[in-house]
């Protein structure tokens, strides 16, 4: 039980310090990377559908925090 609390607190600290992580689909490139047909060099393909070309996404904990704070803000208006 103390280990689970420790891991949870570390994840909360990570989400507070760095709310944005790299996209797992494109690995932070923002697009699908492909190899050129004739040159063999890396080329940028279509933009990533998950991150919309930014290469970064909000972490799950940060998304939960944002939705709860938005709910609180809308409820106290």
């Amino acid at each position: 039980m103390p280990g689970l609390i420790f891991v949870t607190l570390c994840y909360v600290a990570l989400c507070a310090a760095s709310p944005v992580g790299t996209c797992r689909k494109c690995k932070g490139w923002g697009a699908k990377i492909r190899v050129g047909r004739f040159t063999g060099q890396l080329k940028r393909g279509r933009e990533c559908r998950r991150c919309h070309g930014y290469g970064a996404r909000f972490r799950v904990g940060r998304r939960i925090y944002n939705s709860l704070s938005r709910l609180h803000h809308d409820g106290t208006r």
Side-chain angles (χ1 to χ4, degrees), residues 53-72:
Y54 289 110
R57 296 184 60 185
F58 280 112
R59 298 183 193 276
V60 174
R62 188 60 183 201
R63 277 188 253 146
I64 292 170
Y65 174 76
N66 287 347
S67 64
L68 290 176
S69 66
R70 190 176 306 120
L71 180 68
H72 175 70

Side-chain angles (χ1 to χ4, degrees), residues 2-4 8-9 11 18 25 31 48 55 57 60 66-67 72 74:
L4 183 64
T8 303
L9 290 177
Y11 185 70
S18 176
K25 182 77 170 177
C48 180
R57 296 184 60 185
V60 174
N66 287 347
S67 64
H72 175 70
D74 292 341

Side-chain angles (χ1 to χ4, degrees), residues 43-58:
K43 292 187 173 185
R44 182 182 173 100
R46 271 191 339 224
E47 79 174 20
C48 180
R49 291 188 299 176
R50 284 190 183 178
C51 65
H52 302 288
Y54 289 110
R57 296 184 60 185
F58 280 112

Side-chain angles (χ1 to χ4, degrees), residues 34-47:
R34 60 185 181 89
V35 178
R37 185 173 175 186
F38 298 109
T39 61
Q41 295 179 350
L42 296 178
K43 292 187 173 185
R44 182 182 173 100
R46 271 191 339 224
E47 79 174 20

